[in-house]
Amino acid sequence: MTSAERLWQVGSLAVAVLVLLPLAAILWISLRPSGDIWGHLLSTVLPRSLVTTLILMAGVGLATTVAGIGTAWLTTMCRFPGQRFFDWALLVPLAVPTYIIAFSYVEVLDYTGPVQTTIRSLFGFKTSRDYWFPEIRSLGGAIFVMSVVLYPYVYLTTRASFLIQSAATLDVSRTLGATPWRLFFTIALPLARPAAAVGVSLALMECLNDIGAVTFFGVKTLTFSVYDTWLNRSNLEGAAQLALAMLAMVFALLWIERFGRRKQRFHSGHSKHRQPARFQLRGWKAGAAIALCAVPILLGFVIPATLLADLASRRLDSVFQERFLIAIWNSLSLAAVAGLLTVAVSLALAYALRLKPSPALKLGVRFAAVGYAIPGTVLAVGILIPMAALDNFIDAQMKSAFGFGTGLLLLGSGAGLVYAYMVRFLAVSYGQVEGGFGKISPHLDMAARTLGRNATTTLGQIHLPLLRPVLLSALLLTFVDCMKELPATILLRPFNFETLATTVFEAASREAFEEAALPSLAIVIVGLLPVIYLARTSASSFRNKRTKRTRRKSAAAT
């Protein structure tokens, strides 16, 4: 191993340790003496929060599974009017964060909202006791709003699985007389189960991470309990102990997902993956397919986006207000710095693993990539203490050496937030970069080494130009995720530091929905960027595959 390769290895292991540091800090904090707080949490807070969280996750998991798999099957295996439009439009709800859609539906469905106001005016009701209407500020309301924005995770993974399934397998089933329903339940769905499990796991992790929606609805989940115990009860040790319970749930979820598909390996015996023949839907069947695909888009994007646009149009004078411009600048600058750092760290880890895939580095990278599964509130608890200790150390050294202190240099400058974003979204960026490296032939590295290039020069002259599109896409996805992140931002932001996400949260908490509309709309518009990218990438990928197959057939014919 050359000195350059050894440097890459050591540096990557150090980065992996930095990513794992918050988890070690949570364990250390939770073991500190905290009086009788754990007994109180164990007897009162934890059981109720745990049951509520499990019910919420079960409801969201069931709803996203049904909506995601159902719409994926319709758009990939059926042909009906508008099918191509729904193919990409079903991804659009991903642009709306859960806390934004939560306050949108509170505004629409609450007692003073337009729906209940219209019901009272039509039927002459005077008070809420005169009629029944489902309570949106409830556990059921939280399940509903989270499901309509998280189902695209299941849709995206399952749709990809349906598209790559062997047409020969499905055609044989049809030849043997399988009806569309039987084909779906006995062949296509079992083949797509591993992909669906991944999508559901992603949706449940986002559900567990949420703090905005559950706060608006008064649903006391584990995430809310960590937030409440830390800030309202001023007990960091108790919050760390609850955070450990959340971590146990996260790792249990990951284990269940892997255990459930441990023996599910499906391989096609054909090198050609032509797309199966679609079922042609006509009449009422086509109308039902259109309705089933339109409802999730209507509930997950059209209604909240229309409400936000309407409310924002009444506050256009706020566009040039200093507070709004500062929030935009804070959000953009933090997301840009965190995105660049995260992509750089992902590049270092992936390249070091390419140079020398040692067992220690493989293990470190695997643990480093688990950050996406860790809720933002848990990360905030684990980051605060190490960074505060480092701030105090720097302050003491500056006072002893130069006679003046630096105060909270790191936490007060937003470095804690950047650190949290990097740990939280490293998996998103790393997956993109690792996939990009996988498409570069190792022979290019060998040729560069033969020509006298070392590892660093090879990266700069060979890999970076080839990886440019992948790095840009990783930066885009990470940037938007950082823009939307709420739990870690609330808990780690410096004093008097507002981003678009915290502005929305605080305004919605005060029921000032018009004030929250403009920053919410800005977040949604930015959130549309990766959705458009995903739709275009997916469409172009399969279009290119079809073009290559056509060219091969033409060449064979001539």
Side-chain angles (χ1 to χ4, degrees):
M1 183 185 296
T2 65
S3 58
E5 291 177 345
R6 189 176 295 108
L7 183 62
W8 278 99
Q9 293 278 312
V10 173
S12 299
L13 284 174
V15 169
V17 170
L18 281 176
V19 173
L20 294 173
L21 184 60
L23 301 183
I26 292 172
L27 180 61
W28 178 73
I29 297 169
S30 64
L31 296 177
R32 294 194 312 187
S34 58
D36 194 33
I37 185 64
W38 178 241
H40 170 71
L41 294 175
L42 190 61
S43 61
T44 57
V45 177
L46 185 58
R48 289 181 296 179
S49 300
L50 183 60
V51 170
T52 301
T53 303
L54 290 175
I55 295 174
L56 177 66
M57 294 175 69
V60 171
L62 179 61
T64 54
T65 299
V66 173
I69 294 178
T71 53
W73 173 260
L74 288 173
T75 56
T76 56
M77 300 300 297
C78 300
R79 193 181 302 279
F80 55 92
Q83 176 262 327
R84 290 188 177 181
F85 166 77
F86 290 121
D87 191 43
W88 64 266
L90 282 161
L91 292 172
V92 168
L94 274 179
V96 188
T98 53
Y99 55 89
I100 290 180
I101 197 171
F103 97 74
S104 300
Y105 272 104
V106 167
E107 176 71 2
V108 171
L109 299 178
D110 209 11
Y111 178 78
T112 58
V115 174
Q116 292 202 51
T117 301
T118 303
I119 291 175
R120 289 194 300 272
S121 63
L122 287 176
F123 297 98
F125 297 134
K126 301 299 182 183
T127 66
S128 60
R129 292 189 296 271
D130 297 333
Y131 64 98
W132 178 87
F133 193 84
E135 178 58 56
I136 187 62
R137 296 177 188 259
S138 63
L139 181 57
I143 292 174
F144 165 71
V145 299
M146 288 189 186
S147 299
V148 297
V149 292
L150 296 180
Y151 81 85
Y153 286 108
V154 185
Y155 168 78
L156 193 61
T157 56
T158 311
R159 171 181 172 274
S161 177
F162 285 150
L163 285 170
I164 64 174
Q165 285 180 7
S166 172
T169 304
L170 301 180
D171 289 344
V172 168
S173 303
R174 289 176 176 177
T175 304
L176 294 175
T179 63
W181 283 101
R182 188 175 182 184
L183 180 66
F184 171 72
F185 283 108
T186 61
I187 305 296
L189 186 57
L191 290 175
R193 196 181 303 157
V198 172
V200 173
S201 298
L202 290 173
L204 293 183
M205 288 175 194
E206 288 296 321
C207 173
L208 189 61
N209 179 60
D210 179 78
I211 184 67
V214 296
T215 301
F216 298 151
F217 292 152
V219 178
K220 296 183 178 179
T221 61
L222 280 172
T223 304
F224 176 84
S225 298
V226 172
Y227 177 82
D228 181 65
T229 303
W230 182 1
L231 296 187
N232 297 336
R233 303 186 186 187
S234 301
N235 194 300
L236 185 59
E237 290 78 13
Q241 290 163 354
L242 288 174
L244 275 183
M246 289 185 67
L247 277 179
M249 286 192 64
V250 168
F251 288 120
L253 181 65
L254 293 174
W255 180 82
I256 290 171
E257 183 266 325
R258 290 183 178 274
F259 181 82
R261 58 187 179 96
R262 68 193 185 285
K263 296 181 180 179
Q264 296 178 1
R265 298 292 185 270
F266 305 110
H267 302 284
S268 171
H270 303 272
S271 59
K272 298 178 182 179
H273 286 277
R274 64 179 177 84
Q275 187 172 344
R278 297 174 183 262
F279 296 101
Q280 181 66 51
L281 302 182
R282 294 184 176 87
W284 70 268
K285 292 182 179 180
I290 293 172
L292 290 174
C293 290
V295 167
I297 302 171
L298 183 69
L299 296 177
F301 182 79
V302 175
I303 291 177
T306 303
L307 174 69
L308 292 177
D310 177 59
L311 294 177
S313 65
R314 308 174 193 175
R315 299 294 298 268
L316 291 179
D317 57 320
S318 304
V319 172
F320 299 105
Q321 287 184 358
E322 183 180 7
R323 186 179 177 219
F324 181 64
L325 295 176
I326 290 176
I328 291 178
W329 168 251
N330 290 340
S331 297
L332 294 176
S333 57
L334 270 178
V337 172
L340 290 171
L341 177 63
T342 305
V343 171
V345 170
S346 301
L347 183 66
L349 291 175
Y351 189 54
L353 204 57
R354 181 183 178 91
L355 290 174
K356 186 71 174 179
S358 63
L361 185 59
K362 284 183 178 180
L363 184 64
V365 170
R366 186 168 183 175
F367 275 106
V370 81
Y372 190 72
I374 303 174
T377 48
V378 176
L379 275 180
V381 173
I383 286 174
L384 180 67
I385 293 301
M387 295 209 75
L390 184 57
D391 268 334
N392 292 333
F393 174 79
I394 294 174
D395 182 66
Q397 295 300 314
M398 293 297 291
K399 284 181 178 178
S400 63
F402 301 103
F404 65 89
T406 56
L408 297 176
L409 180 64
L410 298 177
L411 289 173
S413 63
L417 266 180
V418 173
Y419 183 25
Y421 292 160
M422 188 269 289
V423 175
R424 175 95 168 87
F425 302 117
L426 181 63
V428 177
S429 174
Y430 179 78
Q432 295 273 322
V433 176
E434 183 187 34
F437 269 119
K439 296 178 181 179
I440 299 177
S441 172
H443 296 297
L444 291 178
D445 301 60
M446 299 176 189
R449 188 167 298 180
T450 303
L451 294 173
R453 303 294 191 274
N454 60 26
T456 305
T457 308
T458 302
L459 175 65
Q461 296 182 354
I462 305 297
H463 293 121
L464 286 183
L466 295 175
L467 288 172
R468 189 174 299 137
V470 173
L471 296 177
L472 288 175
S473 67
L475 179 60
L476 173 64
L477 293 173
T478 308
F479 175 84
V480 175
D481 278 338
C482 294
M483 284 276 292
K484 298 191 295 185
E485 173 64 19
L486 179 63
T489 308
I490 291 177
L491 297 173
L492 290 175
R493 58 179 171 159
F495 294 112
N496 297 320
F497 187 90
E498 298 292 342
T499 65
L500 290 174
T502 60
T503 302
V504 172
F505 180 77
E506 291 189 354
S509 300
R510 294 184 280 106
E511 306 284 339
F513 295 122
E514 283 193 12
E515 184 179 333
L518 194 59
S520 298
L521 195 61
I523 293 175
V524 170
I525 291 173
V526 173
L528 281 172
L529 296 177
V531 173
I532 295 171
Y533 168 78
L534 284 173
R536 291 187 60 184
T537 302
S538 178
S540 62
S541 173
F542 288 103
R543 185 165 55 248
N544 291 339
K545 289 180 180 179
R546 287 196 298 268
T547 302
K548 290 178 181 179
R549 286 197 296 267
T550 303
R551 289 176 178 173
R552 284 197 297 267
K553 290 179 180 178
S554 301
T558 56

